[in-house]
Amino acid sequence: MRHLHVQCKVLRKASIRLKPTLGLYQRRYSTKAAGMHYGPGIKVDIQPHEAPSPTEDYYYYFTGEEYTRRRNATLPQLSHIYPPAEGGRTGPPITLEITDAIRTGPAYTSQLVKAKVPAVAGAQQSIVAKFYDPLLADDPAEPEKNTFWLADHEYALEVAAYGKLGSLYGTLVPKFYGAYTCMLPTGLGSGTRAIRLILLEFVEGIALTAFGEDVSSTLSQKARKNVMYKIVDADSRAYALGVNHRDVAPRNIILEVAPSHYPSPAINNSDSNSSLADNALRLRLLDFGVARIAPFEDNLPVRFGGQWEKAVSPILRWHVDHGLQEPFVEAGWVDWEWQSWVEECWGNSTVYEPITEDAVSAWVSPGGTGVFA
């Protein structure tokens, strides 16, 4: 069993000789790194980390001299030039052991693994470790993409989002066990590089994408409506706490159902329909890497902007004109008239702000301020 034991210290920018590189090398390196650093049995020392606050700065693409440098340097070399944003360390190192891969490999903005971290208080036997590794996020087909900024950005956003969603832990979002940093080999001799990560609850369940494109034939409309109600409710509750997810889609939803109720080739599978139509059904909303954290916009009509006392109703936020339902329409989950259903579900709700002319004007009317950014 291999043990990546390294000291946790921040890498500073270094002056190095840049060498030409090829996309083929980058792909070889990424494939090797995925197996070497994130495979079962790997142990790595991680240290609690205070993530920097998210910023509105946008550096998704390298430009000018940075792009030239990107083209002429290997990814490991670039990891020295662009270390993660500083943050701060808040505790002693602890050991994480990877037990299984969930989603690892090249071109992913983060590496997801199952792991055991006995020293983390409250963590169950298996948890999810999400590593924001810019080297593996690299895509040779899009060399101008600044994966170093992207890793920093998504890490800061997710830590900030989970920081606001504490009341939803274990019910509508996974439990959050904190932010961490570690050091992994660069691939340049004995050099190391800093990598940020978060630890989350491992949810035993199934993603909506597993139901395939023929979900309307496999699941009853009653079951699908119940799932969509839970999704809109989860997103609305997160928004009320100051987190605008902005990427609510089947790939980011896990249903907490027993393995015996997973979808099967059988049409109208009775177990799946019964389980998913149950009001007690639970799900988790995942991946806050593109979220917006309150205050969203100075003129956005939500309670934390100081204009209204309650959060905006799903009738307005999930209004058909905003198109938030479209990923679920395209995936076959929604085949009914959307707006009338939303109004039927939340028309009498006292949880959200009443539907007034001002609210409709702000959120739905052309030129209204309640638009999504």
Side-chain angles (χ1 to χ4, degrees), residues 36 77-78 185 192 211 220 228 243 252 278 281 305 326 330:
M36 180 182 295
Q77 287 172 330
L78 288 170
T192 58
F211 288 85
S220 68
M228 289 308 304
V243 178
N252 290 327
D278 191 334
L281 172 70
E326 285 303 319
E330 295 172 2

Side-chain angles (χ1 to χ4, degrees), residues 115-153:
K116 293 189 295 185
V117 191
V120 174
Q124 59 194 74
Q125 186 173 5
S126 291
I127 62 177
V128 174
K130 186 171 187 177
F131 292 82
Y132 301 86
D133 191 335
L135 300 198
L136 293 181
D138 183 73
D139 183 357
E142 195 178 11
E144 69 276 14
K145 185 169 68 173
N146 186 346
T147 60
F148 302 93
W149 172 83
L150 190 60
D152 273 352
H153 186 65

Side-chain angles (χ1 to χ4, degrees), residues 44-106:
V44 60
D45 291 339
I46 64 176
Q47 188 172 7
H49 185 256
E50 183 177 346
S53 299
T55 71
E56 293 298 316
D57 296 335
Y58 188 81
Y59 300 109
Y60 189 87
Y61 294 108
F62 287 115
T63 58
E65 291 183 3
E66 286 189 333
Y67 179 66
T68 301
R69 177 185 292 169
R70 165 67 184 86
R71 295 287 293 179
N72 294 325
T74 66
L75 290 173
Q77 287 172 330
L78 288 170
S79 70
H80 283 270
I81 301 171
Y82 302 106
E86 283 282 351
R89 287 157 178 74
T90 59
I94 57 177
T95 299
L96 174 149
E97 179 181 355
I98 297 175
T99 58
D100 198 7
I102 297 175
R103 188 200 67 197
T104 61

